[in-house]
Amino acid sequence: MRKTYSTFQKFFHKPSFKPSTKPRPFKTYSFVPFSPLAMLDPTILTIGGIILGIAIIERILERWGVIDLVDQFGKIMRLILPVTFYSALIYFFATFMF
């Protein structure tokens, strides 16, 4: 049997390529309380599409020269637009999960 001589330091010495301390995970917080993708709610998009459609119809009627009908649309929209806007805003914040 062959004898080998080795010292304790040579036997346990292993080159270390990794740092001895591990990076600790840390929590991050966002200053924005909601995601912009939450605005893609189907109810909000439907209400916005209806309002946009009425505005386009009003412009088309104005080009055709039907000013009386356009004036009636204007009077109705003066009431409907603010009510719809605030209703959609309340709906958005009431149904959004924080």
Side-chain angles (χ1 to χ4, degrees), residues 10-31:
K10 287 182 184 178
F11 183 75
F12 281 103
H13 177 68
K14 295 179 183 175
S16 175
F17 296 111
K18 298 178 187 173
S20 61
T21 59
K22 295 180 182 177
R24 292 182 291 169
F26 57 95
K27 293 181 180 179
T28 58
Y29 297 97
S30 174
F31 291 110

Side-chain angles (χ1 to χ4, degrees), residues 29-39 92-93 96-98:
Y29 297 97
S30 174
F31 291 110
V32 180
F34 60 89
S35 170
L37 295 177
M39 298 292 271
F92 173 71
F93 283 115
F96 184 70
M97 301 284 282
F98 283 100

